[in-house]
Amino acid sequence: MAEGQMADVAVTGLGTMGRNLARNFARNGFRVGVHNRSAERTDELMDEFGHEGDFVPATSLEDLVQSLQRPRRVVIMVPAGGPTDGVIDEISPMLETGDIVIDGGNAHYQDTRRREADLREKGLHFVGMGVSGGEEGALLGPSIMPGGTAEAYSALEPLLKKIAADVDGTPCCTHVGPDGAGHFVKMLHNGIEYADMQLIAESYDLLRNGLGMEPAEVGEVFTAWNDGDLESFLVEITAEVLAHVDGATGKPFVDVVLDQAGQKGTGRWTVISALELGIPVSGMAEAVFARGLSSDVGRREAAQAALPGPSAPAELADRKQFVDDIRDALYASKLVAYAQGFDTIRTASEEYGWDVNLGEMATIWRGGCIIRARFLDRIREAYDRNRDLPSLLVDDYFSRAVADAQEGWRRVVASAAQLGVPVPGFSSALSYYDALRAPRLPAALIQGQRDLFGAHTYQRVDRDGTFHVDWSGDRSEEER
Ligand code: 6PG
């Protein structure tokens, strides 16, 4: 194939996301090699969208590789895990030194670190690239979180910045950091997404089952909230979902949907990773637990038969105030979840030597991705003020925001308990907030318990050292 006809980039794996990413490259003027294990998918793409740009269909990975100019840039868009390894194993021997394999799936960052090291041994670049925004984002402009080497990123940057979402002239794409950094940040995006969705769901539950609002009315509340600090894609689509009427029954759509939430696993990965790093991510964890509980049908049915709710439902004196309080609780709890998420990215960055710029992560999440929101600009500004902020919650802007919200937040958690409406996200976030700011925590008692039953020792507030009490003897204290 003549040099001028060689493809700029290739995509193998033409499922919805892969197909739309390929279309996005083509619609932005790049010549795109396209391949799918079953050739029908490639044919379908060419038949339906071939007119959109300059595609180079390939019937085999060999043809796909041969269609590419150097350094070759091959984007793999197949399911995470085994299928991705399979494509890497098959295509690597076809590539030459300096070529770049990009995994655009939701891969686990540890798999990405392994793959990056393996391919580096072979003189190849491996880029774990988080792509957020779903099908529409992949086509019209996702938030893109590539990891890998700076050399690989410089070869990819012109293409990725062209296809990424753009906010105020800034593409929602940046080099996140080496090896698995990109997929780690994408994983945290998904963990935050879970927490955000759970908090919105709890707000809905309180408005619906606490105040007795109909779905359409709750949708109007979310529409109103979307004009303020809570403006976000997730709040916007919540209003749409709640306004939707089921065509088959004429009932509110949300009432005909089975109340059992699915999860592909990225939220779970996030919580496990945060636990391994020692960072509390109560918001994300409660969101994962809530999804699991919702699907635990047997236990739920048994509990519905056996467990009573509040004897006398609480009376809510001021309904308007309660709606405002829920808004405040949602914003404050969302802040806690984002603070925990950014704490986790910072800790992993230190652990793995990634040097992730947290302000830049907020910047590229302003558009294209599922958690895109106005308040990510506030997060960017917070890290611009202090790159080493110990917690988002102690930034002047955010500490004031939570201070303004906390009375309403506390009323919501208290009322929810009296109403018997579960709010694990709101209540765990409030407890995290109160624990983080507490001058003394009951961990002192836990240290005493541990020393008594396991001689695990403790430290003192009044002098350095490690101590143990002879609990079974004269209870004297000895220094260890
Ligand atoms: C995105 C989405 C995407 C996927 C979710 C759904 O960033 O575009 O987060 O990755 O739709 O991960 O995952 P669950 O099935 O776990 O909710």
Side-chain angles (χ1 to χ4, degrees), residues 359 362 376-386 395 397:
L376 280 156
D377 266 321
R378 306 290 81 75
I379 293 179
R380 174 174 57 82
E381 290 156 4
Y383 283 114
D384 287 348
R385 284 189 286 271
N386 179 359
D395 167 71
Y397 172 85

Side-chain angles (χ1 to χ4, degrees), residues 379-424:
I379 293 179
R380 174 174 57 82
E381 290 156 4
Y383 283 114
D384 287 348
R385 284 189 286 271
N386 179 359
R387 181 180 166 134
D388 299 318
L389 203 57
S391 164
L392 270 177
L393 295 173
V394 303
D395 167 71
D396 286 348
Y397 172 85
F398 286 117
S399 57
R400 269 199 312 278
V402 181
D404 293 346
Q406 74 161 309
E407 293 316 318
W409 190 11
R410 295 182 187 283
R411 286 193 291 268
V412 163
V413 171
S415 300
Q418 288 165 345
L419 288 165
V421 174
V423 289

Side-chain angles (χ1 to χ4, degrees), residues 46 64 100 106 118 128 183 235 238 245 273 304 336 417 435 477 479:
M46 295 309 293
L64 189 73
I100 305 163
N106 271 337
D118 290 350
H183 271 146
V235 167
T238 296
V245 174
S273 301
Q304 284 160 36
V336 166
E477 178 180 79
E479 189 158 359

Side-chain angles (χ1 to χ4, degrees), residues 17 106 131-135 145 186 189-190 193-194 197 262-267 291 368-371:
M17 289 293 288
N106 271 337
V131 179
S132 179
E135 301 169 16
M145 296 151 261
K186 173 54 167 78
H189 163 277
N190 284 32
E193 171 190 305
Y194 273 50
M197 291 167 72
Q263 48 185 325
K264 291 197 182 70
T266 48
R291 292 199 187 190
C369 63
I370 303 296
I371 64 170

Side-chain angles (χ1 to χ4, degrees), residues 249-295:
T249 61
K251 292 179 180 176
F253 169 72
V254 71
D255 288 349
V256 300
V257 175
L258 196 60
D259 65 338
Q260 297 168 25
Q263 48 185 325
K264 291 197 182 70
T266 48
R268 186 183 313 120
W269 289 352
T270 310
V271 176
I272 292 168
S273 301
L275 285 170
E276 287 165 347
L277 290 162
I279 299 294
V281 287
S282 48
M284 300 177 214
E286 289 296 350
V288 172
F289 297 154
R291 292 199 187 190
L293 186 154
S294 73
S295 305

Side-chain angles (χ1 to χ4, degrees), residues 186-467:
K186 173 54 167 78
M187 181 183 73
L188 257 294
H189 163 277
N190 284 32
I192 290 171
E193 171 190 305
Y194 273 50
D196 221 333
M197 291 167 72
Q198 175 63 24
L199 295 170
I200 288 171
E202 291 177 18
S203 304
Y204 157 76
D205 204 3
L206 284 167
L207 293 167
R208 183 81 194 275
N209 298 310
L211 283 183
M213 285 188 182
E214 284 305 308
E217 191 183 356
V218 178
E220 288 163 10
V221 170
F222 277 102
T223 299
W225 288 349
N226 203 40
D227 287 338
D229 290 334
L230 283 168
E231 181 195 2
S232 65
F233 172 70
L234 284 172
V235 167
E236 178 190 337
I237 67 167
T238 296
E240 279 184 60
V241 169
L242 291 173
H244 183 56
V245 174
D246 176 50
T249 61
K251 292 179 180 176
F253 169 72
V254 71
D255 288 349
V256 300
V257 175
L258 196 60
D259 65 338
Q260 297 168 25
Q263 48 185 325
K264 291 197 182 70
T266 48
R268 186 183 313 120
W269 289 352
T270 310
V271 176
I272 292 168
S273 301
L275 285 170
E276 287 165 347
L277 290 162
I279 299 294
V281 287
S282 48
M284 300 177 214
E286 289 296 350
V288 172
F289 297 154
R291 292 199 187 190
L293 186 154
S294 73
S295 305
D296 195 351
V297 179
R299 275 192 187 83
R300 288 183 60 193
E301 284 171 353
Q304 284 160 36
L307 304 179
S311 48
E315 286 304 311
L316 291 170
D318 185 336
R319 290 170 60 90
K320 165 88 177 60
Q321 182 61 57
F322 192 54
V323 173
D324 292 345
D325 288 351
I326 294 169
R327 180 205 58 215
D328 292 348
L330 177 54
Y331 190 59
S333 303
K334 173 176 178 165
L335 250 177
V336 166
Y338 279 70
Q340 293 173 343
F342 278 90
D343 290 348
T344 308
I345 296 172
R346 176 198 297 288
T347 305
S349 178
E350 290 161 356
E351 174 79 12
Y352 298 110
W354 289 335
D355 193 26
V356 176
N357 182 319
L358 297 179
E360 280 194 14
M361 296 310 104
T363 301
I364 67 170
W365 282 349
R366 292 184 303 163
C369 63
I370 303 296
I371 64 170
R372 59 186 183 267
R374 171 196 294 191
F375 107 128
L376 280 156
D377 266 321
R378 306 290 81 75
I379 293 179
R380 174 174 57 82
E381 290 156 4
Y383 283 114
D384 287 348
R385 284 189 286 271
N386 179 359
R387 181 180 166 134
D388 299 318
L389 203 57
S391 164
L392 270 177
L393 295 173
V394 303
D395 167 71
D396 286 348
Y397 172 85
F398 286 117
S399 57
R400 269 199 312 278
V402 181
D404 293 346
Q406 74 161 309
E407 293 316 318
W409 190 11
R410 295 182 187 283
R411 286 193 291 268
V412 163
V413 171
S415 300
Q418 288 165 345
L419 288 165
V421 174
V423 289
F426 284 158
S427 50
S428 64
L430 182 58
S431 290
Y432 175 85
Y433 173 80
D434 282 333
L436 197 63
R437 63 181 192 80
R440 283 280 286 167
L441 287 170
L445 174 59
I446 291 169
Q447 286 294 80
Q449 294 163 336
R450 292 178 67 246
D451 189 53
L452 188 153
F453 65 63
H456 292 300
T457 72
Y458 58 90
Q459 283 72 46
R460 294 176 60 95
V461 296
D462 52 7
R463 64 180 190 276
D464 291 341
T466 299
F467 303 90

